[in-house]
Structure formats: C-alpha cells, structure tokens
Amino acid sequence: GGGEERLVEYYHGHLCARLDAGAAATYSLEAAARDYALGVLDWARMALGAFFRDASPAAFAARASNPNVGLVYRDAEASFEFVRRVDRCLARVEREMGVAGVAE
C-alpha cells in the first residue's frame, strides 16, 4: 500500500522544485493528489468505454503476450486492481463534492 501516494509525492516534489517559489507555494500536495485522482478517472472513462467492451477470459488470453497492449487490457487481475483504483479515486472526488452515501 501507499505506492500511489508515494508516486504523487514524488511528482509533486519534483514539479515544485522546478517552479518558481510563488507557483510552488500555490500547488499543494492535496491538489496534486486530487489531480491524480481526476487523471485516473479520465483514463477509466476511456478504458471502460472502449477497451473493456469485450472483456472476457478469451479476450485477455488473446492479448496476454502482446507488449503493445497495456497490462490492464491483457491481464484480468491487473484489470481488477485498476477498477479498485478507480473506485478509490471516484470515492475521493465524490466525498469532495459532498455526494450523499459515500463512506470515508
């Protein structure tokens, strides 16, 4: 656990090190984490709408050895983890928006 958080912290730190002090001060780690979540949700919109239409054991098997296909499109377990990541990101954004019924 914590891999995504460490990744966001890494990118945030390196970005802020290259920004001028004023810009770096306005882009918080919390904002970077939200931007990451929105990016995951945007990727999910595309992936779920286009690539998972034919998701089946046979489709995953057919793409399994194709290095030009992303892991989430050729490995069922990677796809399940992707869906869990999307769920976490969506819950975060929904909490920020005050959507009723979203657990902490």
Side-chain angles (χ1 to χ4, degrees):
E4 290 174 292
E5 292 84 4
R6 287 192 311 272
L7 179 68
V8 171
E9 289 170 3
Y10 174 85
Y11 279 110
H12 176 262
H14 282 269
L15 173 64
C16 287
R18 285 156 182 77
L19 295 173
D20 66 64
T26 64
Y27 190 58
S28 68
L29 181 57
E30 184 63 26
R34 184 171 198 275
D35 289 344
Y36 171 81
L38 292 172
V40 169
L41 294 174
D42 189 45
W43 178 30
R45 178 190 52 79
M46 183 275 306
L48 296 173
F51 290 100
F52 289 141
R53 287 185 305 232
D54 70 340
S56 68
F60 283 115
R63 294 187 291 252
S65 63
N66 186 344
N68 291 324
V69 175
L71 186 60
V72 299
Y73 310 120
R74 57 188 167 103
D75 181 84
E77 287 304 315
S79 292
F80 297 146
E81 180 54 37
F82 174 64
V83 170
R84 287 187 287 272
R85 177 178 298 131
V86 169
D87 184 56
R88 288 190 303 270
C89 291
L90 186 57
R92 173 197 172 94
V93 171
E94 287 176 333
R95 277 192 306 274
E96 290 176 2
M97 294 174 62
V99 175
V102 178
E104 285 293 322

